[in-house]
Amino acid sequence: MFFTYLRRELRRRRKAALVVASGLALGIALVIVVNSVSSGMGKAQDKVLQSLYGLGTDMTVSKAASSTSSAQRPRFRFDARGNDSDETQSSDRVMVQGFQTLADSKVAEVGSQKGVSDAVGGLSLQVVKVSGQFRQGQFRQDQNGGRQGAPTGPPQGRVEGGGADFDVNSYSVYGTDVTKPALGPLTSSKITSGRTFTTSETDAKVVVADASYAKQKKLSVGDTVTIKGVKFKVIGIATPDSGDAAANLYIPLKQAQTLGDSKGKVTTIYVKAADSQQIDSVKKTIQKNISGTTVTTSADLASTVSGSLSTASDLASSVGKWLSITVLVAAFLVAGLLTSSAVSRRVREFGTLKALGWKSGRVTRQVVGEAVVNGLVGGVLGIALGLAGAYAVTAVSPTLQAQLGGGSGGGFGGGPGGGFGGPGRQAAKTLEVALTAPVSPSTIGLAVALAVTGGLISGAFGGWRASRLRPADALRRVE
């Protein structure tokens, strides 16, 4: 009887039911789109951060910035070598990024802290190579030199031509601990050609090149790369997942320490927490027990992200969420008012039912049942609209820019041209990421819950009105 009456009343009042369902659908669809875009923002930001600290890394430890930094400008020395203008000279200068290092014994000390699952050290270097030629100038004697009556003394003239033609090439090198391949910036890249390091190549002269740098320098597996006079064999090409690598070249840590005159030193310690929910407490433990260090989590680094990604993320998390909440509340209120108004127009109907023996509770359940069905219909429509909106965002995939760096303090990884190599003023780094709007099962569950809640709220309005009707008063009412 309940379902028969319910089906008949919904069919008879389908226009009013469609209005209520449409209002709820708009609110639910907006919630789905906003949640999906916010999730996409989070994934985009994670993608940006992974290019700096690598997958599986929860925080990094670096040396605390010193106000009395001993950093010096790189110096290059060249000799004048006779009249041979075809001779090319070159000089490499390998510098530790940030000019601040920690003893590699700190890696084991950090790894022994409570809550730390694993820790690995890395050394970030910047190589500046200057190469070119000197050309010696030619002495030209004045036209009157040697003529009769000309003044006696040293020959008069001038030097013409000469000069120098030098090229400056700068690139980044990262020394990675090959015995622990699960941590560090290289984990955010995929080997697309050749292979990665083996655990036995702790001091081997091998290198993994970033795909963009390899393309620029026309490098392939099997080629050799010379760094400060040392030849390294290219064993693999790595393509970063985020589109931007932490370094141009990756070599074993011991080789990097030798090239940078930093034996027994690291610039960054990558830390993985045993429990991802306890990252803040692990950070406090490391800061308390190991002095002179700066601990940076992914949340700390995320606060330095600026550009269109940051702006869009702020809009989605603040304006978008408040807008969706406002629209949803308005949809619930409108649905409740429309249901209550419909009850007012059905006074004689409910009065007759009560006169026939229906109790107030049964009338209330009938009104609530109709409202819940309207809510579920609105939920289905809202989910369909929300999925369509999220699919449209993903199909368009608007490109957002994320600018990182430009500040001081320790950071993750060591990007090309500055990056986040350690304490000290760092160069800004701009990345581009495509925005997607993934819809998770939890978002669909939220939409269903909102649909049922909307139906119950509107049903509560109408049911309360229906329960207060008396049969005698209802029958006296004329529609």
Side-chain angles (χ1 to χ4, degrees), residues 190-234:
K190 180 181 180 181
I191 302 297
T192 51
S193 179
R195 62 175 179 85
T196 188
F197 302 105
T198 62
T199 55
S200 61
E201 294 175 322
T202 55
D203 200 20
K205 293 181 175 61
V206 291
V207 61
V208 172
D210 170 58
S212 298
Y213 185 76
K215 182 178 180 181
Q216 177 188 351
K217 299 298 181 181
K218 298 180 180 180
L219 297 175
S220 58
V221 175
D223 292 344
T224 52
V225 175
T226 302
I227 307 173
K228 200 179 180 180
V230 180
K231 292 185 178 181
F232 291 82
K233 182 181 179 180
V234 179

Side-chain angles (χ1 to χ4, degrees), residues 256-274:
Q257 291 171 334
T258 302
L259 291 175
D261 294 327
S262 301
K263 288 189 176 181
K265 302 289 185 181
V266 295
T267 52
T268 312
I269 301 174
Y270 298 83
V271 181
K272 182 178 182 180

Side-chain angles (χ1 to χ4, degrees), residues 3 26 50 73 78 83 97 180 207 232 247 276 306 311 328 339 382 391 394 396 417-418 425 427 458 475:
F3 292 104
L26 290 176
Q50 285 170 10
R73 293 178 178 273
F78 298 96
N83 298 323
Q97 287 194 5
K180 294 185 177 181
V207 61
F232 291 82
S276 60
S306 59
T311 303
L328 199 60
T339 304
Y391 176 78
T394 303
V396 174
R425 179 63 59 177
S458 60
L475 291 173

Side-chain angles (χ1 to χ4, degrees), residues 237-305:
I237 305 296
T239 302
D241 294 332
S242 65
D244 197 32
N248 298 133
L249 300 173
Y250 300 88
I251 61 176
L253 178 59
K254 286 187 178 181
Q255 287 291 335
Q257 291 171 334
T258 302
L259 291 175
D261 294 327
S262 301
K263 288 189 176 181
K265 302 289 185 181
V266 295
T267 52
T268 312
I269 301 174
Y270 298 83
V271 181
K272 182 178 182 180
D275 184 356
S276 60
Q277 304 300 319
Q278 302 295 324
I279 292 177
D280 288 338
S281 62
V282 175
K283 174 182 177 179
K284 292 178 182 178
T285 300
I286 296 174
Q287 288 178 323
K288 178 182 177 181
N289 297 335
I290 304 177
S291 60
T293 59
T294 297
V295 182
T296 309
T297 66
S298 57
D300 298 329
L301 190 59
S303 64
T304 68
V305 178

